[in-house]
Amino acid sequence: MSRILIVEDEERIASFVRKGLAAGGFATTVVATGAEAVDHAVTGGFDLMLLDLGLPDTDGFDVLRRIRALGVDMPVVILTARDGVRDTVTGLEIGADDYVTKPFRFEELLARVRLRMRRERPVDLTVLRAGGLALDLRTRRVAVGGGTVDLTAREFALLELLMRHPGQVLSRQQMLSHVWGYDHDPGSNVVDVFVRALRRKVGADRIVTVRGMGYRFEDQS
């Protein structure tokens, strides 16, 4: 399922877009600030970003510049009430892929999202390999030690996130947001619980605890 990051601080608009995309078969995560947008974008766990320009902590253009500078190349569609030519040109010049002006009809937004994902998204691998594991994205199973292990939906999503970023430290907040959604309790220990479950199934030495920071997947292949 394709994942879309919605960066929008107006709750009514964010809810409208989220519900529409969910009905269209997309998985969505909503954040309301530029800082959250950058943190989520760098995980590599999203296929497209819908980016509002009028954010409470920064301008959406600054978010776009930062993620492009960090090497994030997913398609970005700007959502904004600004309709000036200068703003449109600026957005496109610094790395936006499309521009939708508020108010908009959802049908138009959905068409633009699908168009950009067809053009920009690479063909998905059917099997993700890292750390001596083979994660089958179709059967939702992981091959380890000559056998296969069944995973729950949450376990699978968490392991997929870790395997897509071998050697990179991912914070608990990044994992919570990516796997459980933006509205999950940030004080929950659910990440630690699921990491322990994954360690029992795929090997304790593959997922390393980085004290005070989060977890890192060890690529042993």
Side-chain angles (χ1 to χ4, degrees), residues 6-27:
I6 303 169
V7 187
E8 172 61 69
D9 66 314
E10 292 188 42
E11 186 175 347
R12 178 179 57 85
I13 296 176
S15 177
F16 167 70
V17 173
R18 179 182 60 80
K19 290 177 181 177
L21 290 173
F26 296 97

Side-chain angles (χ1 to χ4, degrees), residues 71-88:
V72 178
D73 60 356
M74 68 174 165
V76 174
V77 177
I78 289 177
L79 301 178
T80 181
R82 306 176 194 176
D83 58 1
V85 174
R86 178 174 296 180
D87 283 330
T88 303

Side-chain angles (χ1 to χ4, degrees), residues 178-207:
H178 182 85
V179 178
W180 283 271
Y182 76 99
D183 58 349
H184 199 84
D185 179 6
S188 170
N189 70 339
V190 66
V191 169
D192 307 292
V193 172
F194 273 76
V195 165
R196 287 196 294 270
L198 279 177
R199 283 171 168 164
R200 288 194 295 269
K201 291 185 176 183
V202 304
D205 55 344
R206 288 189 168 90
I207 305 175

Side-chain angles (χ1 to χ4, degrees), residues 60-99:
F61 287 148
D62 292 332
V63 173
L64 185 55
R65 290 188 183 96
R66 288 176 63 190
I67 66 170
R68 292 307 190 218
L70 291 168
V72 178
D73 60 356
M74 68 174 165
V76 174
V77 177
I78 289 177
L79 301 178
T80 181
R82 306 176 194 176
D83 58 1
V85 174
R86 178 174 296 180
D87 283 330
T88 303
V89 171
T90 298
L92 295 174
E93 285 182 342
I94 64 176
D97 297 271
D98 210 339
Y99 213 101

Side-chain angles (χ1 to χ4, degrees), residues 37-121:
V38 174
D39 285 345
H40 283 67
V42 298
T43 68
F46 297 93
D47 302 293
L48 182 140
M49 175 190 285
L50 295 176
L51 174 63
D52 179 39
L53 293 184
L55 300 173
D57 61 333
T58 188
D59 190 280
F61 287 148
D62 292 332
V63 173
L64 185 55
R65 290 188 183 96
R66 288 176 63 190
I67 66 170
R68 292 307 190 218
L70 291 168
V72 178
D73 60 356
M74 68 174 165
V76 174
V77 177
I78 289 177
L79 301 178
T80 181
R82 306 176 194 176
D83 58 1
V85 174
R86 178 174 296 180
D87 283 330
T88 303
V89 171
T90 298
L92 295 174
E93 285 182 342
I94 64 176
D97 297 271
D98 210 339
Y99 213 101
V100 178
T101 303
K102 301 174 184 176
F104 54 84
R105 293 190 304 171
F106 184 76
E107 291 80 2
E108 177 188 359
L109 175 63
L110 184 60
R112 290 176 182 268
V113 166
R114 286 175 171 163
L115 176 64
R116 290 301 162 190
M117 295 188 71
R118 282 200 302 269
R119 289 183 175 178
E120 305 292 341
R121 190 183 181 197

